[in-house]
Structure formats: C-alpha cells, structure tokens
Amino acid sequence: MKIFLIGFMGSGKSYWGRKLSEKLTLPFFDLDEQIESNEGKKISQIFAEEGEEYFRLLEKDTLHIITESHDSFIMATGGGTPCYFNNIDFMNKTGLAVWINTPVDILHERLIKDKAHRPLIKNLDDVQLKSFIIKKFSDRKIYYEQAEMVVEENEKSLDKIVEKLFHA
Ligand code: S3P
C-alpha cells in the first residue's frame, strides 16, 4: 500500500501522515524532509541557492526513488508536488493519492504562524498571504482533484480516514 498525501501548504499532510503511519504501522516519509536530508540543506536554502526549478527536479527524483524502493508507506508530499511534471499521474499509477482538503481561511490562519521555512510565502504580509493562497489554491485545484480519495475538513478523524482508505 503506497499512500501519497497531497494538498496545499498547511493542509496537515505531515500531521495526518504521521498519525496514519502509526495507526497502520507503515513507514512514513516526508518528501521535503527527505530532500533536505539528501541535500544537507533546508528547502528555503535550496530555493535561494539553486532556484525553484532545481527544487522541482529534486522533488520529482526523490518521489520516484522512495516510491520505487519501498513496497508500502505513507508519504506526505509538498504542496506543489502533484502540480509539476507528471507527478500526479505517477502517484495515481503506483499507489493511492489522497487529497487533504482544507478551507482557505484555515490555511491562512495556520500559514500566518508557520511561514518562515516556506520560501514561497515567507516574505508576504498577512494580506498578501491571503491573496497568494486564494490564487495558488485555485491554480492547483485541478491537480489536487485528480486524487482518487479526498479528506474534507469534517472528515478529519483518524478512524474516518482509515475507514475511507479501506473503501477507496
Ligand atoms: C511548496 C510546499 C512546501 C515545500 C516547498 C514548496 C509548494 O511543502 O515543498 O516550500 O510549492 O506549495 P509543504 O506543503 O509541506 O509546506
């Protein structure tokens, strides 16, 4: 079982990924953390030194390497992962993509407090951040919607998610 959690920054992919991996006793991978540990650099440093295009290549390669070298896992991807190359098709072909959908207002509240390590938003003030989220979310929705399973805000309990997973 290869489960890919996808969704916007701040949607809770890593939080639910860790919870699910404990509950299902499956290994957990956080794609951003894997990239950071492979490169020996923080994501914001990679963006600053090498640029976003280079990061997207690393992201794709790391996604493929983890997926091809493990039979079963829960992976928290980055907010942009499904939107580049053919990453969403790759995830759909090799496992189950699950969209953790979170309303824009909640994303905004969370990201105000947690933007420092996120290069795409770290220099935005609160008002700019809100517009950024609205615009980016609407651009990315067509990719997120390609996930076979969606977890909506009112379905966010471990038992509900697990039940849905086994009926997907
Ligand atoms: C990004 C999201 C980040 C990280 C990078 C780019 C994005 O991951 O991959 O900063 O394009 O939305 P999180 O969704 O875990 O914040």
Side-chain angles (χ1 to χ4, degrees), residues 14 20 27 37 39 48 63 73 81 83 86 107 111 115 132 151:
S14 301
L20 282 169
S37 103
E39 292 295 293
L63 171 69
F73 56 77
T81 312
C83 317
N86 62 348
L107 295 174
L111 292 172
K115 63 180 184 182
F132 174 91
V151 177

Side-chain angles (χ1 to χ4, degrees), residues 38-80:
N38 293 348
E39 292 295 293
K41 286 180 190 175
K42 292 284 173 199
I43 301 290
S44 49
Q45 206 184 341
I46 302 172
F47 266 69
E49 290 174 9
E50 322 280 354
E52 179 169 356
E53 245 177 78
Y54 179 78
F55 169 77
R56 296 300 172 192
L57 284 168
L58 285 179
E59 185 178 45
K60 169 171 70 84
D61 289 348
T62 312
L63 171 69
H64 281 244
I65 290 165
I66 298 171
T67 304
E68 279 152 14
S69 56
H70 296 84
D71 287 334
S72 257
F73 56 77
I74 311 280
M75 186 193 297
T77 64

